[in-house]
Amino acid sequence: MNVTVVGTGYVGLVTGACFAEMGNTVTCVDVDATKIEKLKEGIIPIYEPGLEALVTNNYSAGRLRFSTSLEEAMAGSNVYFIAVGTPPGEDGSADLQSVLTVARQIGRYMGEYCVVIDKSTVPVGTADKVCTAIGEELAGRKAEIPFDVASNPEFLKEGSAVGDFMRPDRIIVGTDSDRAREVLRELYAPFNRNHERTLFMGVRDAEMTKYAANAMLATKISFINEIANLCDALGVDVENVRKGIGSDSRIGYSFIYPGCGYGGSCFPKDVRALIHMADQCRLPAGVLQAVHERNESQKSVLAAKVRSHFGDDLTGLTLGVWGLAFKPETDDMREAPAIVLLGELVAAGARVIAYDPVAMEMARQVLPPKWFEDGTLRLTEHQYAALEGVDSLVLVTEWKPFRHPDFGAMKRMMKQPVIFDGRNQYDPAALRQTGFTYYGIGR
Ligand SMILES: NC(=O)c1ccc[n+]([C@@H]2O[C@H](COP(=O)([O-])OP(=O)(O)OC[C@H]3O[C@@H](n4cnc5c(N)ncnc54)[C@H](O)[C@@H]3O)[C@@H](O)[C@H]2O)c1
């Protein structure tokens, strides 16, 4: 098939590369000309395991193309994926500006029957808006061209996006049209070889499924974080509690790791968007509101522990921070707990030396330039260099190289052997025996 993917970010680029890998001809379109030029040179704008090889191989084979012109990309293609960003607006609602701009452009340029597929995470009812936007453009052109709008939300996880796309748990397709259903069935057939994973449903059902999935996962995290804080107060080790409840098959072990809050471009914004949808329906969203609020305050838990150990004024202290990305295996720092932590440490007067295996370039772009200029924040090229002469280590992201470090060497490098473990990676008893003062989350 000849496929156009509009929006070449985490989702669009992975989607385009994976469809190309299955033999389709794909054009990835983006308004960001620098990004498109870099991609043509084989430079991948994001860190995502396995993506670089997939993109360069398919680009060399001519199956994957990049363009800033949607009009050009649409020629010869009648399957259009919309994968642009849907950032949160002031009121928490998903901002549909980019989605609807693309919809109008499609209406302007389409020449024959096409299927327009919303892959971006969009509120219930968006497919109708996309349909209206295209229809208005067609009416303006006095053109009567049939088209269908389907919903195909994406469930990939940053850090394992290629694997998730290639071997999805499920493929959700929302459409009321037989014609669109057949197009999507054919396109996804190579991903269903092992067994059928596609669930066909109504468009609105598909739109809601994406939000409900993310909200459920965010709820699990906020729930265990709340339990962890209670464990802290009651002298309970939440790690034992986690294993104790995870062994119940109705609960399971995934997504109940206590920590310093969830971040990223999806959970925070999608929970807020769902709250906004409930508001619009004049329905209470008490659970979702609590999930959001727990997460906001959870991002401050580490800094609070630092202040409770050293005192409110951290002037004169230098703290080492391991991990800046919102989770391992990505350079994405959108809504990362590290941003809140650094802000609070700096506000209390501390200096920080930080290290992340891949997110340092991103950190330079998103953190206040002033911190770098006045030496408040220094980034190092090696994880142990972030510990030279520091008064403590704060672990924020559970990258694998942080999991089993050389504690003996760390103790010799650090001015004070104090560890704040924001992801419960270490064994408190073993660390205390080695002479560290250890603080975890809920233990
Ligand atoms: N990142 C994830 O892990 C993930 C997972 C599942 C779903 N989603 C959803 O997928 C959507 C995209 O997310 P993302 O993380 O890939 O975003 P992103 O910010 O990485 O990429 C979006 C891209 O769209 C481009 N764009 C914006 N307006 C455009 C326009 N009018 N025409 C062409 N390109 C345009 C931007 O330049 C950018 O490159 C969002 O709705 C998000 O919620 C994201």
Side-chain angles (χ1 to χ4, degrees), residues 41-67:
E41 290 164 23
I43 302 166
I44 312 299
I46 52 172
Y47 176 82
E48 189 58 54
L51 185 60
E52 186 170 351
L54 200 65
V55 169
T56 49
N57 289 346
N58 282 286
Y59 183 69
S60 309
R63 286 188 299 267
L64 184 60
R65 302 170 188 158
F66 298 104
S67 176

Side-chain angles (χ1 to χ4, degrees), residues 9-11 30-31 35 84 86 121 154 158 265-266 269 334:
Y10 284 88
V11 167
D30 206 284
V31 284
K35 187 181 270 192
V84 297
T86 47
T121 303
E154 184 48 56
E158 285 177 25
S265 69
C266 293
K269 113 177 141 56
R334 287 179 281 187

Side-chain angles (χ1 to χ4, degrees), residues 388-404:
E388 292 286 354
V390 298
D391 295 281
S392 77
L393 162 66
V394 189
L395 177 91
V396 188
T397 317
E398 66 278 33
W399 281 93
K400 287 197 188 87
F402 302 155
R403 286 194 188 165
H404 197 242

